[in-house]
Short mmCIF file of all heavy atoms in Angstrom, two decimals:
data_model
loop_
_atom_site.label_atom_id
_atom_site.label_comp_id
_atom_site.label_asym_id
_atom_site.label_seq_id
_atom_site.Cartn_x
_atom_site.Cartn_y
_atom_site.Cartn_z
N ILE A 689 83.26 107.03 83.41
CA ILE A 689 82.20 107.96 83.84
C ILE A 689 81.03 107.91 82.87
O ILE A 689 79.86 107.89 83.27
CB ILE A 689 82.77 109.38 83.95
CG1 ILE A 689 83.77 109.45 85.06
CG2 ILE A 689 81.67 110.40 84.18
CD1 ILE A 689 84.51 110.76 85.16
N SER A 690 81.31 107.81 81.55
CA SER A 690 80.26 107.75 80.56
C SER A 690 79.46 106.50 80.71
O SER A 690 78.21 106.48 80.64
CB SER A 690 80.85 107.82 79.15
OG SER A 690 81.53 109.03 78.97
N ALA A 691 80.14 105.37 80.98
CA ALA A 691 79.43 104.10 81.14
C ALA A 691 78.56 104.11 82.41
O ALA A 691 77.47 103.60 82.40
CB ALA A 691 80.45 102.97 81.20
N ALA A 692 79.10 104.76 83.49
CA ALA A 692 78.31 104.79 84.71
C ALA A 692 77.17 105.78 84.66
O ALA A 692 76.23 105.66 85.42
CB ALA A 692 79.25 105.15 85.87
N SER A 693 77.24 106.73 83.74
CA SER A 693 76.22 107.79 83.69
C SER A 693 75.10 107.49 82.73
O SER A 693 74.22 108.34 82.59
CB SER A 693 76.88 109.11 83.30
OG SER A 693 77.87 109.47 84.21
N LYS A 694 75.13 106.37 82.00
CA LYS A 694 74.06 106.04 81.08
C LYS A 694 72.77 105.82 81.80
O LYS A 694 72.69 105.16 82.80
CB LYS A 694 74.40 104.79 80.30
CG LYS A 694 75.52 105.01 79.24
CD LYS A 694 75.78 103.75 78.48
CE LYS A 694 76.86 104.02 77.44
NZ LYS A 694 77.16 102.77 76.64
N GLY A 695 71.75 106.40 81.30
CA GLY A 695 70.44 106.30 81.93
C GLY A 695 70.19 107.37 82.94
O GLY A 695 69.08 107.43 83.50
N ASN A 696 71.17 108.20 83.23
CA ASN A 696 71.01 109.28 84.21
C ASN A 696 71.49 110.57 83.55
O ASN A 696 72.63 110.97 83.71
CB ASN A 696 71.78 108.97 85.48
CG ASN A 696 71.46 110.03 86.58
OD1 ASN A 696 70.60 110.85 86.42
ND2 ASN A 696 72.15 109.87 87.70
N ASN A 697 70.66 111.21 82.77
CA ASN A 697 71.07 112.37 81.96
C ASN A 697 71.39 113.63 82.84
O ASN A 697 72.13 114.51 82.41
CB ASN A 697 69.96 112.75 80.95
CG ASN A 697 69.74 111.65 79.94
OD1 ASN A 697 70.68 110.92 79.64
ND2 ASN A 697 68.54 111.50 79.50
N SER A 698 70.79 113.64 84.04
CA SER A 698 71.03 114.78 84.88
C SER A 698 72.26 114.70 85.75
O SER A 698 72.54 115.59 86.55
CB SER A 698 69.79 115.08 85.77
OG SER A 698 69.58 113.94 86.64
N ALA A 699 72.95 113.56 85.71
CA ALA A 699 74.07 113.38 86.58
C ALA A 699 75.15 114.42 86.31
O ALA A 699 75.61 114.61 85.19
CB ALA A 699 74.65 111.95 86.39
N GLY A 700 75.55 115.07 87.36
CA GLY A 700 76.65 116.07 87.24
C GLY A 700 76.19 117.39 86.71
O GLY A 700 77.00 118.22 86.45
N SER A 701 74.90 117.62 86.59
CA SER A 701 74.44 118.90 86.07
C SER A 701 74.44 119.99 87.12
O SER A 701 74.60 121.16 86.78
CB SER A 701 73.03 118.77 85.48
OG SER A 701 72.15 118.32 86.49
N ALA A 702 74.22 119.63 88.39
CA ALA A 702 74.18 120.65 89.42
C ALA A 702 75.59 121.05 89.82
O ALA A 702 76.53 120.28 89.71
CB ALA A 702 73.42 120.13 90.67
N GLY A 703 75.72 122.26 90.31
CA GLY A 703 77.08 122.69 90.77
C GLY A 703 77.27 124.14 90.49
O GLY A 703 76.45 124.80 89.84
N PRO A 704 78.40 124.69 90.93
CA PRO A 704 78.68 126.11 90.73
C PRO A 704 79.07 126.44 89.29
O PRO A 704 79.43 125.56 88.56
CB PRO A 704 79.85 126.35 91.73
CG PRO A 704 80.57 125.05 91.74
CD PRO A 704 79.49 123.96 91.62
N GLU A 705 79.04 127.70 89.00
CA GLU A 705 79.48 128.14 87.69
C GLU A 705 81.00 128.01 87.64
O GLU A 705 81.72 128.28 88.61
CB GLU A 705 79.09 129.62 87.47
CG GLU A 705 77.60 129.83 87.35
CD GLU A 705 77.05 129.16 86.11
OE1 GLU A 705 77.76 129.06 85.06
OE2 GLU A 705 75.87 128.72 86.13
N PRO A 706 81.58 127.62 86.51
CA PRO A 706 83.04 127.51 86.41
C PRO A 706 83.72 128.85 86.49
O PRO A 706 83.17 129.86 86.07
CB PRO A 706 83.26 126.82 85.05
CG PRO A 706 82.03 127.18 84.29
CD PRO A 706 80.91 127.25 85.23
N ALA A 707 84.93 128.83 87.07
CA ALA A 707 85.72 130.05 87.12
C ALA A 707 86.13 130.54 85.78
O ALA A 707 86.16 131.75 85.51
CB ALA A 707 86.95 129.81 88.04
N TYR A 708 86.42 129.62 84.87
CA TYR A 708 86.76 129.96 83.44
C TYR A 708 85.92 129.07 82.56
O TYR A 708 85.83 127.86 82.77
CB TYR A 708 88.25 129.70 83.18
CG TYR A 708 89.19 130.66 83.83
CD1 TYR A 708 89.98 130.22 84.86
CD2 TYR A 708 89.24 131.97 83.43
CE1 TYR A 708 90.88 131.08 85.51
CE2 TYR A 708 90.15 132.85 84.06
CZ TYR A 708 90.93 132.37 85.08
OH TYR A 708 91.80 133.25 85.70
N ALA A 709 85.29 129.69 81.58
CA ALA A 709 84.62 128.91 80.56
C ALA A 709 85.66 128.24 79.63
O ALA A 709 86.82 128.70 79.56
CB ALA A 709 83.69 129.80 79.74
N ALA A 710 85.27 127.21 78.95
CA ALA A 710 86.22 126.50 78.10
C ALA A 710 86.74 127.38 77.01
O ALA A 710 87.88 127.31 76.61
CB ALA A 710 85.52 125.27 77.51
N SER A 711 85.87 128.31 76.51
CA SER A 711 86.34 129.22 75.47
C SER A 711 87.31 130.26 76.01
O SER A 711 88.22 130.68 75.31
CB SER A 711 85.15 129.91 74.83
OG SER A 711 84.44 130.63 75.86
N ASP A 712 87.17 130.60 77.32
CA ASP A 712 88.09 131.58 77.90
C ASP A 712 89.47 131.00 78.12
O ASP A 712 90.44 131.74 78.09
CB ASP A 712 87.51 132.07 79.24
CG ASP A 712 86.25 132.87 79.07
OD1 ASP A 712 86.05 133.43 77.96
OD2 ASP A 712 85.44 132.92 80.02
N LEU A 713 89.57 129.72 78.26
CA LEU A 713 90.88 129.11 78.50
C LEU A 713 91.80 129.31 77.32
O LEU A 713 92.98 129.55 77.49
CB LEU A 713 90.72 127.61 78.85
CG LEU A 713 89.98 127.32 80.17
CD1 LEU A 713 89.84 125.81 80.33
CD2 LEU A 713 90.64 127.96 81.33
N LYS A 714 91.25 129.15 76.10
CA LYS A 714 92.10 129.32 74.93
C LYS A 714 92.56 130.74 74.76
O LYS A 714 93.65 130.98 74.32
CB LYS A 714 91.34 128.83 73.69
CG LYS A 714 91.01 127.35 73.74
CD LYS A 714 90.25 126.91 72.49
CE LYS A 714 89.95 125.43 72.53
NZ LYS A 714 89.24 125.01 71.33
N LYS A 715 91.68 131.71 75.14
CA LYS A 715 92.05 133.11 75.03
C LYS A 715 93.22 133.45 75.99
O LYS A 715 93.97 134.35 75.70
CB LYS A 715 90.85 133.98 75.31
CG LYS A 715 89.73 133.81 74.30
CD LYS A 715 88.55 134.69 74.66
CE LYS A 715 87.38 134.50 73.71
NZ LYS A 715 86.23 135.36 74.07
N LYS A 716 93.27 132.76 77.08
CA LYS A 716 94.28 133.12 78.10
C LYS A 716 95.54 132.33 78.00
O LYS A 716 96.45 132.47 78.80
CB LYS A 716 93.67 132.92 79.51
CG LYS A 716 92.48 133.81 79.82
CD LYS A 716 91.99 133.62 81.20
CE LYS A 716 90.78 134.54 81.45
NZ LYS A 716 91.19 135.93 81.51
N GLU A 717 95.66 131.45 76.97
CA GLU A 717 96.88 130.65 76.84
C GLU A 717 98.11 131.56 76.61
O GLU A 717 99.20 131.23 76.99
CB GLU A 717 96.72 129.69 75.64
CG GLU A 717 95.71 128.57 75.90
CD GLU A 717 96.27 127.55 76.90
OE1 GLU A 717 97.47 127.56 77.18
OE2 GLU A 717 95.47 126.73 77.39
N THR A 718 97.90 132.67 75.94
CA THR A 718 99.02 133.55 75.61
C THR A 718 99.63 134.22 76.84
O THR A 718 100.72 134.73 76.81
CB THR A 718 98.59 134.65 74.63
OG1 THR A 718 97.47 135.36 75.20
CG2 THR A 718 98.18 134.02 73.30
N LEU A 719 98.86 134.24 77.95
CA LEU A 719 99.35 134.84 79.17
C LEU A 719 100.26 133.96 79.97
O LEU A 719 100.94 134.39 80.86
CB LEU A 719 98.18 135.25 80.06
CG LEU A 719 97.20 136.30 79.54
CD1 LEU A 719 96.01 136.44 80.44
CD2 LEU A 719 97.91 137.63 79.37
N GLU A 720 100.25 132.62 79.66
CA GLU A 720 100.94 131.72 80.53
C GLU A 720 102.44 131.96 80.55
O GLU A 720 103.05 132.05 81.63
CB GLU A 720 100.63 130.29 80.02
CG GLU A 720 101.34 129.23 80.86
CD GLU A 720 100.88 127.83 80.44
OE1 GLU A 720 99.96 127.70 79.65
OE2 GLU A 720 101.50 126.89 80.96
N GLU A 721 103.08 132.09 79.40
CA GLU A 721 104.49 132.26 79.34
C GLU A 721 104.92 133.58 80.01
O GLU A 721 105.89 133.63 80.78
CB GLU A 721 104.97 132.24 77.91
CG GLU A 721 106.48 132.34 77.79
CD GLU A 721 106.94 132.23 76.35
OE1 GLU A 721 106.07 131.96 75.49
OE2 GLU A 721 108.14 132.43 76.09
N HIS A 722 104.13 134.62 79.77
CA HIS A 722 104.47 135.95 80.38
C HIS A 722 104.29 135.85 81.88
O HIS A 722 105.10 136.43 82.62
CB HIS A 722 103.52 136.99 79.79
CG HIS A 722 103.73 138.34 80.37
ND1 HIS A 722 104.86 139.08 80.09
CD2 HIS A 722 102.98 139.09 81.20
CE1 HIS A 722 104.76 140.24 80.76
NE2 HIS A 722 103.62 140.27 81.42
#
Side-chain angles (χ1 to χ4, degrees):
I689 294 173
S690 300
S693 301
K694 288 182 178 179
N696 188 6
N697 296 330
S698 62
S701 60
E705 294 294 329
Y708 290 110
S711 58
D712 295 335
L713 295 179
K714 296 181 179 179
K715 297 179 181 179
K716 296 182 181 290
E717 290 289 345
T718 56
L719 296 172
E720 180 172 353
E721 183 177 354
H722 179 70

